[in-house]
Amino acid sequence: MNEQNNQSDQPEPRFRVRAHHTASTVTVYQAYRPGIGLAAARDGGFPASWSRDRMTWIKPSFLWMMYRCGWATKEGQETVLAVEISRDGFLWALRNACLSHYVPGLHGDRGAWKRQLKAAPARVQWDPERDLRLNPLPYRSLQLGLAGEAAARYADEWIVGIEDVTSLATEIHACVRAGQLERAARLLPQERPYPLEEEALAHLRA
C-alpha cells in the first residue's frame, strides 16, 4: 500500500477509489499553467481562458497527479490545484462514464463500446497508483475525464472550492529527494477509501 494508507494489513483491491473526502465533498487534483491555475485558485472557479471544448481529467490521487505533472515541473503543469467538488457531482460523472478501453465482458462487441464511449460525457481509466518515489503500485488509481455536459457541470455546478497546492507538492518532493520519506508521508493529503455503491463502479471495472 502507499505511504499514506499503510495502517491496514488487508490487501488493497485492484479497483477502488481512494480520495480525501468529507461528508459532502471529494477532492480531486489537476495541474495547469499558472495563467489558468493561479486565476482558478484566486477566484474559486476557472477563468474564461479555460476551454470547455477539451476533455479535462480529474484525479483523486495526489501522488498520481505528482507522477503526471512531475511534481509541478512539467511545462504547462506548474500549478497544482486541489479542487473540492460535490459528492453528487462526482457520482453523476461515474454513473455517466464509459471505460476508455474496450472490455469484452462489459461492453459486448467493440462497436457497442465505441458508440457508448462517443455518447458518454465522462470516461474512466485506471492507471497504476504511485508511491512517494512515483514507482507503480500493484493496484489502480482512478482517472476521470470530463467532456461536454460533464465538463460544464464540473465548472459551473460541482466546484465547492479550489486551492493552490503547488507549494505542498514542492515541499513533499524536497523531502523525497532528501530521503525523508516518513516526513513526506506525513505531509500527504489523507486519502482513504471512498464509499460507493456497487452499481456506481460495476460498469467501470476493467
Side-chain angles (χ1 to χ4, degrees):
M1 299 181 72
N2 61 3
E3 284 82 353
Q4 76 264 45
N5 288 319
N6 60 3
Q7 292 90 354
S8 172
D9 294 329
Q10 296 298 316
E12 185 70 17
R14 183 172 171 82
F15 301 107
R16 180 161 73 177
V17 178
R18 293 166 300 276
H20 180 75
H21 56 88
T22 70
S24 60
T25 66
V26 55
T27 297
V28 296
Y29 299 94
Q30 296 193 286
Y32 288 101
R33 59 181 173 84
I36 290 179
L38 295 178
R42 181 192 66 225
D43 300 333
F46 291 109
S49 56
W50 186 79
S51 176
R52 294 166 179 265
D53 298 326
R54 297 177 56 188
M55 179 164 289
T56 188
W57 288 89
I58 59 177
K59 306 158 183 68
S61 166
F62 180 84
L63 283 174
W64 204 94
M65 184 71 258
M66 295 305 98
Y67 167 72
R68 180 68 180 84
C69 71
W71 297 101
T73 63
K74 292 185 179 179
E75 184 177 358
Q77 301 185 60
E78 301 93 342
T79 304
V80 180
L81 301 178
V83 185
E84 193 176 15
I85 64 174
S86 69
R87 283 193 177 206
D88 288 344
F90 187 64
L91 182 58
W92 185 95
L94 290 175
R95 284 177 169 164
N96 288 277
C98 177
L99 267 181
S100 61
H101 65 281
Y102 170 62
V103 177
L106 286 177
H107 303 122
D109 64 83
R110 190 176 293 271
W113 164 72
K114 287 183 177 179
R115 289 189 295 273
Q116 182 181 346
L117 185 66
K118 184 177 181 179
R123 63 182 58 179
V124 159
Q125 64 185 48
W126 298 91
D127 295 303
E129 179 60 286
R130 301 284 159 167
D131 64 15
L132 273 167
R133 297 191 185 277
L134 305 186
N135 296 314
L137 293 167
Y139 50 90
R140 299 279 165 158
S141 178
L142 176 82
Q143 322 302 325
L144 184 56
L146 309 174
E149 181 184 1
R153 285 174 177 256
Y154 172 60
D156 298 335
E157 301 174 15
W158 301 346
I159 293 176
V160 175
I162 302 178
E163 181 183 0
D164 180 355
V165 293
T166 310
S167 60
L168 176 63
T170 301
E171 183 179 4
I172 295 173
H173 188 204
C175 291
V176 173
R177 292 201 312 272
Q180 300 172 351
L181 296 187
E182 289 187 6
R183 182 166 183 264
R186 289 195 297 270
L187 292 171
L188 286 171
Q190 293 302 304
E191 295 168 8
R192 60 193 196 278
Y194 184 81
L196 286 166
E197 297 292 337
E198 172 63 25
E199 54 85 20
L201 285 183
H203 64 299
L204 298 172
R205 291 193 177 99

